[in-house]
Amino acid sequence: MTNKLVDNIIPQQPPIGAQSDVHVLKSRLEWGEPAFTILDVRDRNAFNQGHIMGAMPFPQDELVERAESIAKSRDIYVYGESDEQTAQAAQQLRSAGFVHVSELKGGLAAWKAVGGPTEGIIESRTPAGADDYNVVDRLKNHAETQQKG
């Protein structure tokens, strides 16, 4: 017996697009949706400095062989240093047979601009504060933190 009430309250997600806006991913995380993976294809040092919370480090030069542990039908969001690197990584995954791969437009910077949760060495140095919900102040703080680092 299926639970019709739950089916009507929680709409099924449409298949992910070839490119996704950070708002789409953030809303999926906030709804607690299962069954998707976030891959960071930047080098390990960049990943350690800061990344989207829950993202897995899959450096681009090891991407396809490491991704073999992921189901080919799983929703995968991928991001890199630039939209160009992101697009290349997504194409590598699609060529390897992954069917639901989406390029996260703007990567980590766009994610941080919408207040998405992050973790990493630099990220842990940025204290939560009154600017958490003010994008302008958050971007100023980010710029200051980058200059100190």
Side-chain angles (χ1 to χ4, degrees), residues 112-115 130-144:
K112 287 164 70 167
V114 298
D131 69 326
D132 280 357
Y133 299 100
N134 182 322
V135 174
V136 174
D137 284 348
R138 191 165 49 245
L139 289 172
K140 280 185 200 166
N141 276 356
H142 175 68
E144 290 167 11

Side-chain angles (χ1 to χ4, degrees), residues 21-23 52 83 104-116 139:
D21 181 86
V22 289
H23 294 280
I52 293 174
D83 284 346
L104 192 60
K105 303 309 289 173
L108 183 60
W111 179 254
K112 287 164 70 167
V114 298
L139 289 172

Side-chain angles (χ1 to χ4, degrees), residues 45-51 119-126 145:
N45 184 50
F47 177 85
N48 289 343
Q49 292 300 311
H51 54 270
E119 53 193 356
I121 297 168
I122 288 178
E123 299 308 315
S124 64
R125 285 192 214 137
T126 309
T145 303

Side-chain angles (χ1 to χ4, degrees), residues 26-128:
K26 190 166 185 269
S27 91
R28 283 192 78 175
L29 279 172
E30 288 169 351
W31 274 94
E33 280 191 44
F36 67 88
T37 300
I38 306 167
L39 300 183
D40 183 322
V41 299
R42 301 172 304 150
D43 67 48
R44 182 64 84 150
N45 184 50
F47 177 85
N48 289 343
Q49 292 300 311
H51 54 270
I52 293 174
M53 188 171 284
M56 299 187 332
F58 275 55
Q60 194 164 6
D61 56 348
E62 309 168 15
L63 179 61
V64 174
E65 61 214 39
R66 294 200 55 201
E68 289 178 6
S69 62
I70 301 171
K72 299 273 195 228
S73 60
R74 189 169 183 86
D75 283 1
I76 299 172
Y77 293 91
V78 62
Y79 73 96
E81 286 291 346
S82 64
D83 284 346
E84 184 180 353
Q85 183 188 33
T86 299
Q88 289 171 353
Q91 191 51 52
Q92 285 178 274
L93 290 168
R94 290 179 190 120
S95 296
F98 292 89
V99 288
H100 301 290
V101 178
S102 189
E103 302 162 29
L104 192 60
K105 303 309 289 173
L108 183 60
W111 179 254
K112 287 164 70 167
V114 298
T118 56
E119 53 193 356
I121 297 168
I122 288 178
E123 299 308 315
S124 64
R125 285 192 214 137
T126 309

